[in-house]
Amino acid sequence: MTEQAVQVRPEWRRGTVSGDGVTLATFELGDPGNPTVLLVHGWPDTHHLWTHIAPRLAEKYHVVAYDCRGFGESDRPREVGAYRLAELADDLFAVAEAVSPDAPVHVVGHDWGSVQAWEAVSRPRAHTRIASFVSVSGPNLDHLGQLLRAGLTRPTPHRVRTIATQSLSSAYTGLFQLPVLPNALLTALGNPRAWKQFLHTVEGTPPENVVVAGTLRRDMITGLALYRANIRQKLSRPDPRPTTVPVLQVVNERDIALRPAIYDNTPDYAAKLWRRDTPTGHWLPYTHPAYLTDTVLDFLAAQTGSDAPPTVERLRVFAEPKPLAGKLVVITGAGSGIGRETALLLAERGCELVLADRNLDTAAETEQACKVAGAVAHAYLLDVSDTGAFVSFAATVREQHGVPDVVINNAGIGLAGGALAATDEQVDRLLDVNLRGVITGSREFGRQMVERGVGGHIVNVSSAAAFTPSRSLGLYSASKAGVLLFSESLRAELAEHRIGVSAICPGIVDTNIVSSTPIAGLDSDSERTQRDRLDRFYQRRGFTPDRVATEIVSAVEHNKAVVPVTPEAKVGYRIYRFAPWLSRIGARQKVTG
């Protein structure tokens, strides 16, 4: 999903800043008495890149964009050496000092704008002139060079993969080093209509969102000097330096030019680092301007101390980045068993957790355990069978914590015994919790994810019973088969929105669901006896819920569709697909009831 283009262009106040013999065109919005936000574009953009973002920032801040040297209305030095990062960082400081002489500025950089801002924040005097830095789609080339050097001198499988994938993504930079061919190609691509179509083709950027200057073709060709002046120099002789400037690194997981792994060593050099990973592409200011604006505003609020949103703190990086770190995760049935173990595992990964259960006391126990693990966690009372309450809960999560990145619909109950012996109340309760609850959670949070437009993941806990028919579990199997097929269908529906859906299908797992499972058609004494027998069997089986939690986290990280978990689930899944007659024979065996 993409956001609708902003139809009204900002009415910039134009000016110039001169330094080192180069005159830079500046463009301002907002009250100069407010803190200044300096917007720095990359290749082949100009200040127009910020068309959809600057007006909202200007409601609270003094916003200044400028055309970098070689672009738009600014001067165009002819020498390649004039485009080294040292000169570009000098330009940034010159603009900052001219537009905000008495206070440091907040910098937001994209692409080469981010690259040159990294050079600026790595200078000793940066902490006096730069209050914070939001980096979007642009690495520190010294960090990258150091990472590549480590991959060559101390190779590991991860480092080798990083070098290989990034080399493939960066192949165009080699082309840009050539003297004639790239000029000819960019002459054709420099037509505004062709460039908009190119962006739409490579990452779905809406053409109506792309705002370019009349100097686009010239900017493309002049901007080749950025690659020629810096790539080989920085990657072959990196000089990584630390920074104390607070940095938010926005990492786009679908960036066509930059792979997420190249940012892994940033914590080694940034003392105050936050990181947000999203399944978005390179030109985020065009594809999701509202999302990026909200991200910047939240971070600026945290840095200025004005109503800092709690969403920012979960993005803080204190050591090596972890997969899923900073994600907001909602888990139902989080008070015990699989739900609790999944919460604890995600707490270790650095997620913020919203924990719902029909027993608030057990949810609070999970909340406390997650906090001990260093995570931010919140416990809520929720009966997933109450659709109205679930709808209200989803709205509360959005209002209090934001749109979740991951939702795990785990809450479930059991029902054993024959279908004919079950009461209507038992059937209704089973379907309301196991199926309707999953559907409600998926629909409510799925709508939020679609509206936000930057993807997400939904996990629905089904069961091996979904594909293992049994005369003693027919109703339970029906509820879990509904979850499985609903999840498969929802996955197809949400794929275009970059929202993954996984169905988790455990077999025999030692949780407390057995001890609370009613057995239809039995008196209370017989039910208790058979339930105790099954409970002892599950305990002897010894497959613990933490192993299911590991599979759930893996399903999110790798966007798996259907995950049979236990050995019997994996075997049963294949038997039902390839030899269903064997499943039917096994279904006749009486387990209980």
Side-chain angles (χ1 to χ4, degrees):
M1 179 179 179
T2 54
E3 302 174 43
Q4 186 176 9
V6 178
Q7 300 300 321
V8 179
R9 302 273 183 97
E11 296 182 2
W12 300 100
R13 300 191 299 272
R14 295 170 177 265
T16 59
V17 172
S18 297
D20 193 28
V22 175
T23 299
L24 305 171
T26 61
F27 307 85
E28 298 185 45
L29 290 176
D31 184 354
N34 291 333
T36 298
V37 178
L38 189 60
L39 305 177
V40 192
H41 69 83
W43 181 93
D45 303 300
T46 63
H47 71 282
H48 291 301
L49 175 75
W50 309 107
T51 294
H52 311 314
I53 293 173
R56 277 190 58 205
L57 294 180
E59 294 173 6
K60 292 186 177 181
Y61 298 94
H62 172 220
V63 177
V64 180
Y66 68 97
D67 288 346
C68 297
R69 60 171 64 195
F71 295 86
E73 299 177 29
S74 293
D75 286 351
R76 301 170 182 267
R78 297 179 62 86
E79 303 82 9
V80 169
Y83 294 89
R84 292 194 181 99
L85 290 180
E87 280 68 31
L88 297 172
D90 287 344
D91 289 348
L92 190 152
F93 279 112
V95 175
E97 290 166 358
V99 300
S100 181
D102 300 322
V105 301
H106 301 273
V107 177
V108 181
H110 175 263
D111 189 74
W112 275 98
S114 175
V115 174
Q116 61 187 279
W118 270 114
E119 178 71 18
V121 300
S122 299
R123 291 188 175 180
R125 68 182 180 124
H127 70 281
T128 64
R129 292 302 312 148
I130 300 177
S132 71
F133 170 37
V134 179
S135 167
V136 185
S137 302
N140 183 307
L141 290 186
D142 291 302
H143 299 176
L144 178 57
Q146 192 70 12
L147 188 70
L148 297 178
R149 176 177 290 185
L152 295 174
T153 59
R154 300 186 303 277
T156 65
H158 175 71
R159 287 172 176 169
V160 170
R161 284 195 302 271
T162 299
I163 292 174
T165 56
Q166 185 54 50
S167 297
L168 185 62
S169 296
S170 300
Y172 70 96
T173 64
L175 173 66
F176 283 0
Q177 305 296 323
L178 301 177
V180 178
L181 181 59
N183 296 47
L185 293 175
L186 294 177
T187 297
L189 194 58
N191 177 282
R193 180 176 297 180
W195 178 242
K196 293 179 181 183
Q197 184 58 48
F198 173 77
L199 295 185
H200 178 70
T201 301
V202 298
E203 64 175 40
T205 306
E208 64 273 16
N209 278 23
V210 180
V211 184
V212 298
T215 54
L216 176 63
R217 181 178 285 111
R218 192 179 176 194
D219 295 339
M220 283 184 167
I221 295 173
T222 303
L224 291 174
L226 294 172
Y227 297 87
R228 294 166 180 169
N230 297 293
I231 295 293
R232 286 177 293 180
Q233 174 197 13
K234 287 290 186 180
L235 297 188
S236 62
R237 296 186 298 276
D239 179 26
R241 291 146 290 161
T243 180
T244 59
V245 173
V247 177
L248 170 62
Q249 199 166 47
V250 180
V251 178
N252 298 303
E253 297 169 347
R254 294 191 295 110
D255 195 315
I256 62 171
L258 303 164
R259 308 313 303 156
I262 68 172
Y263 303 104
D264 284 354
N265 66 345
T266 306
D268 296 340
Y269 307 103
K272 302 173 184 178
L273 178 65
W274 289 255
R275 173 167 165 162
R276 167 162 283 173
D277 292 48
T278 54
T280 47
H282 186 80
W283 270 274
L284 194 61
Y286 287 146
T287 57
H288 298 89
Y291 171 76
L292 180 56
T293 306
D294 289 339
T295 298
V296 172
L297 286 171
D298 286 350
F299 185 65
L300 293 179
Q303 302 311 310
T304 57
S306 58
D307 300 323
T311 53
V312 174
E313 189 53 34
R314 68 171 180 260
L315 304 175
R316 185 72 183 267
V317 179
F318 294 97
E320 181 181 351
K322 302 175 182 178
L324 303 180
K327 302 292 187 184
L328 177 64
V329 182
V330 175
I331 305 176
T332 66
S336 61
I338 295 171
R340 174 173 290 183
E341 294 299 330
T342 303
L344 292 174
L345 186 56
L346 290 171
E348 295 174 359
R349 299 293 184 95
C351 296
E352 180 178 352
L353 299 154
V354 176
L355 309 166
D357 199 281
R358 62 179 176 175
N359 185 329
L360 185 58
D361 290 338
T362 59
E365 291 172 2
T366 304
E367 173 192 25
Q368 185 59 35
C370 291
K371 289 180 176 178
V372 170
V376 178
H378 321 272
Y380 285 88
L381 177 67
L382 176 66
D383 181 348
V384 299
S385 68
D386 186 337
T387 301
F390 209 152
V391 171
S392 297
F393 167 72
T396 298
V397 170
R398 180 171 190 165
E399 179 181 351
Q400 298 295 323
H401 310 289
V403 177
D405 302 291
V406 180
V407 173
I408 302 173
N409 291 304
N410 165 70
I413 60 174
L415 177 61
L420 304 185
T423 66
D424 289 342
E425 290 77 11
Q426 288 175 323
V427 174
D428 289 343
R429 177 66 179 166
L430 178 76
L431 295 178
D432 284 346
V433 172
N434 286 9
L435 183 55
R436 185 57 189 264
V438 168
I439 291 174
T440 302
S442 299
R443 278 159 47 90
E444 292 303 313
F445 289 115
R447 287 170 179 147
Q448 292 183 16
M449 292 176 181
V450 168
E451 182 180 349
R452 181 179 61 172
V454 294
H457 203 97
I458 297 172
V459 174
N460 294 327
V461 178
S462 179
S463 168
F467 44 75
T468 310
S470 169
R471 61 178 291 178
S472 300
L473 293 170
L475 293 169
Y476 179 75
S477 294
S479 69
K480 291 300 187 178
V483 171
L484 175 59
L485 266 296
F486 169 71
S487 300
E488 291 267 53
S489 301
L490 187 66
R491 181 180 177 89
E493 179 180 347
L494 298 182
E496 65 186 86
H497 302 290
R498 303 288 178 177
I499 300 171
V501 181
S502 300
I504 309 298
C505 302
I508 299 171
V509 179
D510 182 17
T511 69
N512 62 4
I513 190 172
V514 176
S515 62
S516 59
T517 294
I519 303 175
L522 296 183
D523 58 62
S524 58
D525 290 339
S526 299
E527 182 183 51
R528 186 181 308 109
T529 299
Q530 292 210 27
R531 198 158 51 205
D532 290 345
R533 177 178 60 83
L534 285 174
D535 206 11
R536 288 192 298 272
F537 170 73
Y538 273 58
Q539 291 174 4
R540 288 195 302 271
R541 171 69 173 77
F543 199 100
T544 51
D546 59 298
R547 297 168 70 179
V548 183
T550 299
E551 295 288 351
I552 289 174
V553 173
S554 176
V556 174
E557 291 179 347
H558 302 289
N559 192 20
K560 299 178 182 178
V562 178
V563 184
V565 177
T566 58
E568 65 274 9
K570 295 176 182 178
V571 171
Y573 187 55
R574 286 157 179 80
I575 288 176
Y576 191 70
R577 291 179 66 189
F578 302 112
W581 57 274
L582 283 176
S583 296
R584 298 186 189 110
I585 293 174
R588 298 172 187 172
Q589 303 301 311
K590 192 173 183 180
V591 177
T592 188

